[in-house]
């Protein structure tokens, strides 16, 4: 459990990115609920640019960097977070697509945690190959996400202090 100065929700003190997963599948209803939660995120002009790509497990594993394959292949599910980089309203580039998709991925993790499922994002994957194999077209692949049940001990990664992340002007 992470020590925090203030009394935060357990999601913030207990969440971490596991590399060990139990051999236990995620029920479809849980996965759909997690993705529905992600889709409730706020977004610029309510464009909801996030997309969650589900595909065959073996195909998803083949898109990962070797170092990630080593542990993420054991995850119950792998999904890809991608974004529509253009506003549907006018076709112009949406500079907030990644920001908004990041919020959605955060919400995804929160709902998953509530259901006892842990998530671990990965930048280590072949984005060009993912675009081709997963038929993404114009969608921009952002991150792969491993989901699964885990009994791993919380690996506490360090955090910057509030004085480092708050800029008072
Ligand atoms: C966008 C993104 C990309 C990441 N890429 C990888 C990755 O390729 N491989 C990996 O093992 N962890 C990856 N991580 C996990 C981070 O290393 C991890 O979140 C960070 O060290 C903080 O640890 P914690 O999530 O356990 O608190 C990624 C996390 C994010 C949000």
């Amino acid at each position: 459990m992470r020590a925090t100065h203030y009394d935060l929700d357990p999601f913030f003190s207990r969440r971490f990115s596991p590399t060990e997963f139990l051999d236990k599948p995620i029920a479809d209803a849980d996965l759909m609920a997690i993705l529905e939660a992600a889709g409730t995120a706020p977004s610029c002009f309510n464009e909801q640019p996030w997309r969650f790509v589900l595909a065959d497990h073996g195909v998803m594993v083949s898109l990962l960097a070797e170092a990630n394959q080593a542990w993420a292949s054991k995850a119950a599910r792998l999904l890809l977070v991608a974004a529509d980089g253009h506003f549907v309203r006018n076709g112009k580039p949406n500079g907030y697509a990644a920001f908004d998709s990041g919020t959605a991925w955060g919400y995804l993790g929160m709902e998953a945690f509530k259901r006892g499922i842990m998530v671990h994002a990965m930048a280590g994957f072949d984005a060009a190959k993912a675009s081709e194999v997963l038929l993404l077209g114009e969608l921009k692949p952002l991150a792969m996400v491993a989901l699964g049940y885990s009994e791993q001990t919380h690996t506490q990664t360090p955090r910057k202090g509030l004085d480092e992340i708050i800029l008072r002007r």
Side-chain angles (χ1 to χ4, degrees):
M1 178 161 162
R2 180 182 297 285
T4 57
H5 287 288
Y6 296 93
D7 184 20
L8 305 182
D9 186 274
F11 172 75
F12 302 105
S13 49
R14 295 183 185 276
R15 182 214 62 82
F16 69 101
S17 301
T19 51
E20 294 169 19
F21 295 99
L22 299 179
D23 185 16
K24 178 179 173 185
I26 296 172
D28 261 1
D30 281 318
L31 182 63
M32 291 303 116
I34 287 166
L35 294 179
E36 185 172 38
T40 67
S43 60
C44 189
F45 287 117
N46 197 22
E47 283 269 340
Q48 303 161 60
W50 46 77
R51 299 291 181 272
F52 304 100
V53 185
L54 302 173
D56 174 76
H57 190 74
V59 171
M60 296 302 246
V61 170
S62 75
L63 299 172
L64 297 176
E66 256 181 56
N68 287 330
Q69 281 181 355
W71 57 268
S73 57
K74 307 260 179 21
R77 284 308 287 246
L78 289 167
L79 61 80
L80 175 75
V81 182
D84 183 343
H86 289 86
F87 286 115
V88 172
R89 56 197 292 114
N90 57 17
K92 290 188 176 163
N94 177 357
Y96 289 90
F99 182 88
D100 294 342
S101 300
T103 310
W105 128 259
Y107 281 24
L108 178 161
M110 287 173 125
E111 183 61 29
F113 182 86
K114 208 189 87 187
R115 290 166 184 267
I117 295 164
M118 301 295 275
V119 303
H120 188 151
M122 290 167 282
F125 72 100
D126 188 332
K129 194 171 157 196
S131 284
E132 189 188 322
V133 173
L134 301 174
L135 311 174
L136 297 186
E138 293 289 298
L139 296 177
K140 183 176 167 48
L142 296 176
M144 294 284 280
V145 179
L147 302 93
Y149 296 91
S150 177
E151 285 179 350
Q152 190 175 347
T153 308
H154 184 176
T155 51
Q156 282 202 35
T157 47
R159 286 299 185 271
K160 293 185 169 75
L162 282 176
D163 55 342
E164 291 176 274
I165 62 171
I166 299 172
L167 306 178
R168 299 186 193 275
R169 297 288 190 260

